[in-house]
């Protein structure tokens, strides 16, 4: 599936026990964004070896989970506003466990 909108890396550490409801609350309350938008939100745990991707698609949420057996995901530093925007190409690199370069 290819993102239709923007892609945000959530810069805060996320409890990976959270499901769709918990993650969408983070999007709404902490990020002050609409979880029903076309934006993909990517969350990471403290060890940076697990990610969850949350996005809305027409009539429901999708939740993608990925765990690495070795190594960790490379995370870019947030901008002054605290947001991290990445491109579709950078998303593919992230999911392939390569470093994201900006």
């Amino acid at each position: 599936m290819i993102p239709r909108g923007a892609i945000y890396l959530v810069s805060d550490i996320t409890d990976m026990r959270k499901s769709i409801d918990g993650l969408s609350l983070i999007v709404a309350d902490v990020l002050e964004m609409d979880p029903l938008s076309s934006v993909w939100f990517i969350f990471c745990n403290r060890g940076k070896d697990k990610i969850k991707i949350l996005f809305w698609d027409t009539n429901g949420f999708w939740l993608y989970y990925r765990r690495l057996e070795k190594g960790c995901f490379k995370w870019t530093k947030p901008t002054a506003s605290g947001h991290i925007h990445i491109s579709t190409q950078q998303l593919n690199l992230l999911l392939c466990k390569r470093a994201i370069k900006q």
Side-chain angles (χ1 to χ4, degrees), residues 23 34 37 40 58 68 84 88 92 100:
L23 296 174
D34 181 9
S37 67
W40 284 31
T58 311
L68 298 176
I84 305 171
T88 303
N92 290 333
I100 298 174

Side-chain angles (χ1 to χ4, degrees), residues 12-62:
D12 292 336
I13 294 168
T14 304
D15 181 354
M16 287 291 118
R17 295 174 290 182
K18 292 190 182 296
S19 64
I20 290 170
D21 293 334
L23 296 174
S24 63
L25 279 174
I26 291 172
V27 170
D29 295 343
V30 177
L31 300 178
E32 298 178 346
M33 298 180 76
D34 181 9
L36 303 178
S37 67
S38 61
V39 175
W40 284 31
F41 300 96
I42 306 176
F43 303 87
C44 190
N45 68 331
R46 183 179 311 277
K48 298 205 185 306
D49 62 343
K50 298 176 187 129
I51 62 169
K52 283 190 176 180
I53 302 173
L54 177 74
F55 62 96
W56 177 262
D57 183 36
T58 311
N59 62 354
F61 281 106
W62 283 83

Side-chain angles (χ1 to χ4, degrees), residues 51-94:
I51 62 169
K52 283 190 176 180
I53 302 173
L54 177 74
F55 62 96
W56 177 262
D57 183 36
T58 311
N59 62 354
F61 281 106
W62 283 83
L63 184 62
Y64 176 82
Y65 174 77
R66 174 117 191 246
R67 180 184 77 189
L68 298 176
E69 294 301 320
K70 294 182 181 177
C72 62
F73 292 102
K74 304 299 180 196
W75 222 246
T76 59
K77 297 193 188 305
T79 62
S81 66
H83 295 298
I84 305 171
H85 303 270
I86 63 171
S87 66
T88 303
Q89 179 184 9
Q90 290 170 316
L91 172 64
N92 290 333
L93 291 173
L94 173 69

